[in-house]
Amino acid sequence: MADDGRAKRLKPSEDGTATIVQQKRRIAELESENAQLRIGTLAANQEVAQLRGRVVGLQSEIEILRRHGQAEGNHDVLPVVMTAIVDLSRIDTGVIAQISSFLASSRELLNLALTCKSFGWRQPMSTLNWSLVEEVARQSVCSRATDDEMGCLPQNVRGTATWLSILHRHEHPLLFDVLLGGYIEHRNGDKTAVCEIGGNYWESVAVSSSHVMSSGAHYAEFLISGAPYIGIVRPMPGLDAGEYQGNFSFIGVDDNLYPDFRAQRSDEWGDSEVHACEYFCDDGKMSFTDWENDEIDIEWEGRESCQSGDTVGMLLDLEQGTLSVYKNNRRIGVMKTGLSGPYCWHASLVNRPSGTDVVSIKRGTLPVSDGATTT
């Protein structure tokens, strides 16, 4: 057959047509995804811009606060602004008492009482007989004190001794914080113990002046070595210990000192003329004075001597006006009556050829097996 000069046209196959359709469809999908990504990128850029604006705003606020703190002289602490007032009357007192009980000391409770009336004053609508702080102090004392110690507390706490002051007393040990005379010192720096130093038969005195007993019952124990005198004496905070560097005693040694003692008298001493009273551990006799006249080495019912290593207990009961003596946890009797007004514990020490006097003091647990009673 002869060539007519015309090119032959090829007929596309069905497979080629399907491939072209799929490619076009994929291109459309990619273009759609690309458009969505562009939209997402635009939204992200807008969010980033907003965040950058927020950061700039926060930095500006920080700078203002920092300048304010510097103007107040504090470069480290930013000022705190109270924006609300809490009505404590709407909060159950038991809840506040529970929270307040976590305060560690009477000093912290006192600071709490001074913050506002809701803590330091008795509230008219409260079921407590005293302030919130007093109730917390009472609970703290009850959790720490033994039954015997609780029995020694004043009957009428309010008006004579607050629960806060009683808690303060329980937190601090008895100390010989005042030394009078030139022949006495704290043993090894321990203020609960004193020893005599110096020449033969020179006498000096240690006083627990920070523990003033004005009401209720008070029990202390004295561990002795030698033959000291142990007893009570009027508080005399104005007495200058530095003025007395020689032989010193509250009873009988040098009555030239008595005018100094009488000059310390206050109305709180009351009517009792017993200003100092001592138990002599060597023979068990008793002496007392009004700093006008002395009564020395008096016999009394229950008198017993003591020796080194014995523990002498003393119970001052200002409700009954008595001073009782105990020996190694055994009550030997009431040594003196007619006592009133404030007193402090004291120990009078003498350096003898037979040995040096040493006395330590501590709060004790009142023995009750012998039927002794307290207020």
Side-chain angles (χ1 to χ4, degrees):
M1 175 182 284
D3 187 359
D4 57 6
R6 294 179 296 182
K8 295 181 179 179
R9 298 182 60 183
L10 297 176
K11 183 179 180 180
S13 67
E14 294 181 359
D15 291 341
T17 302
T19 300
I20 294 172
V21 171
Q22 291 177 355
Q23 290 175 346
K24 290 181 178 180
R25 185 179 300 166
R26 179 58 180 162
I27 290 171
E29 290 176 353
L30 291 174
E31 288 177 346
S32 174
E33 184 177 352
N34 186 37
Q36 291 177 355
L37 288 174
R38 287 177 180 176
I39 294 173
T41 301
L42 180 61
N45 289 336
Q46 292 176 346
E47 184 176 357
V48 169
Q50 292 175 353
L51 290 175
R52 286 176 178 172
R54 180 58 178 161
V55 169
V56 171
L58 290 174
Q59 289 176 339
S60 177
E61 185 177 354
I62 291 172
E63 183 62 25
I64 292 173
L65 291 174
R66 183 177 290 114
R67 291 176 182 176
H68 185 65
Q70 291 174 348
E72 294 183 353
N74 188 337
H75 299 269
D76 300 318
V77 180
L78 295 177
V80 177
V81 180
M82 298 298 296
T83 59
I85 298 176
V86 179
D87 184 0
L88 294 176
S89 64
R90 297 179 180 272
I91 303 177
D92 183 79
T93 56
V95 174
I96 303 178
Q98 179 66 23
I99 296 172
S100 303
S101 67
F102 289 96
L103 295 176
S105 68
S106 59
R107 172 61 62 182
E108 291 179 344
L109 284 175
L110 175 60
N111 290 336
L112 178 64
L114 295 175
T115 58
C116 67
K117 294 181 181 179
S118 297
F119 296 139
W121 288 20
R122 182 181 182 275
Q123 301 302 305
M125 302 303 293
S126 174
T127 58
L128 302 177
N129 292 324
W130 34 70
S131 70
L132 175 68
V133 165
E134 278 288 275
E135 173 61 16
V136 174
R138 184 193 69 82
Q139 294 177 7
S140 182
V141 170
C142 292
S143 67
R144 301 181 187 190
T146 64
D147 292 341
D148 295 329
E149 289 174 329
M150 291 299 294
C152 291
L153 296 179
Q155 289 180 337
N156 181 17
V157 175
R158 186 174 177 83
T160 57
T162 65
W163 283 110
L164 203 56
S165 66
I166 294 172
L167 175 61
H168 179 77
R169 187 197 321 167
H170 273 273
E171 292 172 343
H172 296 81
L174 292 176
L175 302 174
F176 288 124
D177 54 340
V178 172
L179 304 182
L180 297 160
Y183 309 98
I184 191 171
E185 66 181 13
H186 293 113
R187 185 180 59 181
N188 299 324
D190 180 7
K191 288 190 176 182
T192 67
V194 288
C195 57
E196 178 69 8
I197 58 175
N200 292 342
Y201 298 105
W202 290 101
E203 191 167 355
S204 296
V205 173
V207 184
S208 183
S209 68
S210 60
H211 183 67
V212 178
M213 302 169 286
S214 302
S215 62
H218 306 263
Y219 184 75
E221 291 182 342
F222 303 84
L223 178 62
I224 68 165
S225 179
Y229 299 83
I230 298 170
I232 55 175
V233 66
R234 296 295 191 190
M236 293 182 285
L239 208 62
D240 185 0
E243 296 293 325
Y244 307 99
Q245 295 300 314
N247 202 28
F248 187 97
S249 176
F250 289 126
I251 303 176
V253 170
D254 187 355
D255 56 10
N256 290 327
L257 300 176
Y258 288 179
D260 294 351
F261 303 158
R262 291 194 299 269
Q264 299 293 314
R265 180 162 190 157
S266 68
D267 294 339
E268 296 178 349
W269 289 13
D271 298 330
S272 176
E273 295 301 322
V274 180
H275 299 329
C277 181
E278 294 178 336
Y279 169 81
F280 186 25
C281 294
D282 183 63
D283 58 15
K285 292 182 179 179
M286 180 261 295
S287 301
F288 67 93
T289 182
D290 61 0
W291 291 327
E292 292 283 356
N293 301 293
D294 300 331
E295 296 290 340
I296 306 295
D297 292 338
I298 306 299
E299 296 279 352
W300 58 281
E301 184 177 357
R303 168 197 163 209
E304 287 187 22
S305 62
C306 297
Q307 59 185 1
S308 294
D310 284 341
T311 297
V312 178
M314 283 198 165
L315 172 64
L316 175 63
D317 187 341
L318 290 169
E319 300 297 328
Q320 303 296 325
T322 59
L323 180 63
S324 302
V325 180
Y326 294 72
K327 175 182 175 181
N328 297 329
N329 293 322
R330 177 176 56 86
R331 184 173 182 266
I332 61 177
V334 176
M335 185 174 73
K336 194 75 181 82
T337 60
L339 304 175
S340 66
Y343 293 98
C344 299
W345 300 117
H346 84 273
S348 184
L349 280 61
V350 180
N351 192 325
R352 300 178 179 84
S354 58
T356 300
D357 288 350
V358 179
V359 177
S360 64
I361 185 174
K362 70 173 184 177
R363 288 191 179 89
T365 300
L366 179 65
V368 294
S369 59
D370 57 2
T373 59
T374 63
T375 58

